[in-house]
Amino acid sequence: MNTFLHQPRLAADDLFSALRMLFPQTQPTRSTTTAGVEVVSVLVASDRVRDVWDEWRGKHGETGWWPCVSGISPEGLTSGGCLHEGVDAAFLENMVAEVVRQDHDARAASIVLSSFLWTRDCLEEGELEEWMDEYDPDRLAPRLGPAIAEPLPGVSRWVPEDRNTLYRRDQRWLHFVPARGGYEVPALLPGLIMTGNGSTHYLHPADDAALLRRWHEQWGVELFFASGPRLELVVDRPPLDPRSAAQAATELTGYCEDTVDDARVAGDGMARSTVWSLWWD
């Protein structure tokens, strides 16, 4: 039967065996979601997890397993409840098919536009011009600093031991997911990323996938850490010139205004850095 689900090159048994040899002190585990997605997981020390993630990200082309760091345990990923309510094999197949076939640039633009229109509707009289300075990349770009030669160093908010509020401080789960890229992970593990807040609608996993795929193609953005309302992206080619940084900043604002509430600050800061760290309240 034809399927849109990704078939990894490396068998789960072989991945499991390799991780057992590499992490004898924290033996890996295998689990399967209610929709049939197999996940191989291992605990890694917080101060090592970025290096381990980088290594296995580099092997993704030969393994077909995407590494994702999280504070959510394998049991939390694969058990029933709110993370997987109503998500069976047929639902998963349809969702992954949507992610694979969708026009991700168009969907990403629609998501950002919807967020901006919602924000505009909350404006008071006389605030429209100021709003446009924040949300129109062409108007924002002249207000940003000049192009820079090198990316700004990214600051991880959720992974280092001294920077997080998750229940497990000294270790992080590294989950291996059978995916074409990090952008597919939100569809394969619904609920891993919980985007939205009390005043805006929650995004569909295909929405997250569209933005992640667009950003990957534009700026080399990769899914690194995901744990409920906390998300961290590694950026290989962050935008360094004002116009590109303005575009990234406005899209980040539209996606996560809880974190990126000032597009100008983001355009001169996080958008030009190697880590985008987001959080939904």
Side-chain angles (χ1 to χ4, degrees), residues 112-113 116 128-144 242-243 245-251 253-254 263-264:
V112 173
L113 178 61
F116 290 164
L128 181 60
E129 287 299 313
E130 182 179 351
W131 175 89
M132 292 180 66
D133 285 342
E134 289 284 316
Y135 294 124
D136 182 341
D138 290 325
R139 294 178 62 147
L140 176 62
R143 302 173 62 223
L144 300 183
R243 180 57 180 79
Q247 184 68 45
T250 55
E251 292 182 16
T253 303
R264 186 189 60 78

Side-chain angles (χ1 to χ4, degrees), residues 83 87 91-92 95-96 98-99 102 107 111 182-195 202-213 255:
L83 291 185
V87 180
F91 183 95
L92 177 71
M95 185 151 54
V96 173
E98 183 179 357
V99 166
Q102 69 183 352
R107 185 160 189 161
I111 295 161
Y183 65 88
E184 279 193 355
V185 172
L188 293 165
L189 300 177
L192 179 65
I193 304 173
M194 299 175 64
T195 53
Y202 285 86
L203 296 179
H204 188 277
D207 295 332
D208 298 305
L211 282 159
L212 290 177
R213 190 171 182 183
Y255 184 51

Side-chain angles (χ1 to χ4, degrees), residues 112 115-116 119 131 134-135 140 144 157-158 197 215 229 231 233 245-273 275-281:
V112 173
S115 174
F116 290 164
T119 306
W131 175 89
E134 289 284 316
Y135 294 124
L140 176 62
L144 300 183
R157 179 180 297 188
W158 306 119
N197 56 38
W215 292 343
L231 177 66
L233 308 171
Q247 184 68 45
T250 55
E251 292 182 16
L252 282 165
T253 303
Y255 184 51
C256 184
E257 194 172 14
D258 287 351
T259 299
V260 189
D261 59 356
D262 188 320
R264 186 189 60 78
V265 172
D268 280 331
M270 187 171 70
R272 304 194 200 197
S273 77
V275 173
W276 294 353
S277 190
L278 307 173
W279 174 64
W280 286 263
D281 187 1

Side-chain angles (χ1 to χ4, degrees), residues 67-80:
C68 179
V69 183
S70 184
I72 299 175
S73 69
E75 294 79 11
L77 286 180
T78 58
S79 64

